[in-house]
Amino acid sequence: GQQLNQSPQSMFIQEGEDVSMNCTSSSIFNTWLWYKQEPGEGPVLLIALYKAGELTSNGRLTAQFGITRKDSFLNISASIPSDVGIYFCAGQTSGSRLTFGEGTQLTVNP
Amino acid sequence: NAGVMQNPRHLVRRRGQEARLRCSPMKGHSHVYWYRQLPEEGLKFMVYLQKENIIDESGMPKERFSAEFPKEGPSILRIQQVVRGDSAAYFCASSPLVDSSPPDGYTFGSGTRLTVV
């Protein structure tokens, strides 16, 4: 089946630093999504990308849909303590099922 | 406007018992998806249902697991004769349309944490 390789697995940064994480796949996806999950909660959608090469921002978050349609990255600028959580990429081809990456655990030290 | 409601939030079962997890989709949503998350892993697709129909169950284990979404009432994920390996967080999501676009309509609930002792 389809698999997403997400890296890094974890990051420990200081408040104010920028963060970058990415996902790669051996398969093509038509849509790339980035979610954030906090303890005890379900994933919450941060950014959705629909076209190869698309660059989309949501506040301090920026994400890009790779030209090959096999990768995506998420950047968080000027991190703050409430950015702490697990970030997941997810890809969608046809139908509605999503394939998730294994997540990046982000820790922000004040 | 309530979101996707899952209950119970936490469920403890002894090995061999049955677990029933419930999911009420958002108002106006007629498509439900179930995902399983093992500790420190991403979510894995299990099943996609519409009212009274299973559309895609390719992620469901062949035995002991079943799902339904009746005409009236919540969607139910049923796990029979639970084993320790079934311990996980089970998330439900709903959307109003097939191939919902934008996927903002694909909303997750807070999950049910199943612990098998």
Side-chain angles (χ1 to χ4, degrees):
Chain A
Q2 295 171 318
Q3 276 189 301
L4 293 183
N5 298 308
Q6 186 172 349
S7 64
Q9 277 191 315
S10 60
M11 302 185 73
F12 298 83
I13 63 170
Q14 294 296 125
E15 183 176 359
E17 289 183 357
D18 296 344
V19 170
S20 185
M21 58 193 78
N22 68 84
C23 275
T24 60
S25 172
S26 57
S27 305
I28 289 173
F29 288 102
N30 295 327
T31 303
W32 280 92
L33 307 161
W34 285 91
Y35 287 87
K36 180 185 179 186
Q37 186 179 28
E38 298 188 11
E41 297 299 328
V44 174
L45 182 67
L46 299 174
I47 290 182
L49 302 154
Y50 305 103
K51 296 180 184 177
E54 179 182 355
L55 184 71
T56 298
S57 293
N58 178 9
R60 293 179 296 107
L61 277 60
T62 302
Q64 184 157 31
F65 191 144
I67 286 291
T68 64
R69 294 164 63 193
K70 292 182 178 181
D71 63 297
S72 177
F73 72 74
L74 173 70
N75 288 341
I76 305 173
S77 62
S79 58
I80 59 178
S82 62
D83 289 335
V84 165
I86 304 177
Y87 292 79
F88 290 99
C89 61
Q92 183 179 31
T93 50
S94 59
S96 292
R97 64 182 296 173
L98 301 181
T99 300
F100 280 83
E102 297 298 300
T104 296
Q105 172 73 62
L106 178 63
T107 302
V108 180
N109 296 315
Chain B
N1 184 18
V4 177
M5 304 301 292
Q6 290 189 248
N7 66 82
R9 289 294 300 269
H10 300 274
L11 182 62
V12 179
R13 284 288 177 266
R14 296 187 183 278
R15 281 178 296 170
Q17 291 184 320
E18 178 180 281
R20 287 167 62 94
L21 288 62
R22 288 176 291 276
C23 169
S24 296
M26 286 184 68
K27 187 176 181 180
H29 286 193
S30 57
H31 301 258
V32 165
Y33 317 84
W34 286 93
Y35 286 77
R36 176 165 62 177
Q37 185 179 33
L38 296 171
E40 300 186 12
E41 292 189 9
L43 282 71
K44 298 291 194 293
F45 171 80
M46 298 182 75
V47 62
Y48 162 36
L49 310 107
Q50 295 177 27
K51 288 280 187 182
E52 300 184 282
N53 281 310
I54 297 175
I55 306 303
D56 180 359
E57 58 180 348
S58 58
M60 287 278 272
K62 298 299 180 196
E63 298 177 348
R64 301 188 298 108
F65 285 72
S66 62
E68 62 177 7
F69 189 15
K71 187 176 180 180
E72 301 290 338
S75 175
I76 305 289
L77 179 67
R78 182 182 290 109
I79 311 172
Q80 296 177 303
Q81 299 175 327
V82 295
V83 301
R84 288 219 171 108
D86 296 333
S87 296
Y90 292 83
F91 290 96
C92 169
S94 72
S95 72
L97 295 169
V98 175
D99 292 331
S100 173
S101 180
D104 295 24
Y106 201 111
T107 305
F108 282 91
S110 296
T112 293
R113 274 102 189 131
L114 172 65
T115 302
V116 180
V117 297

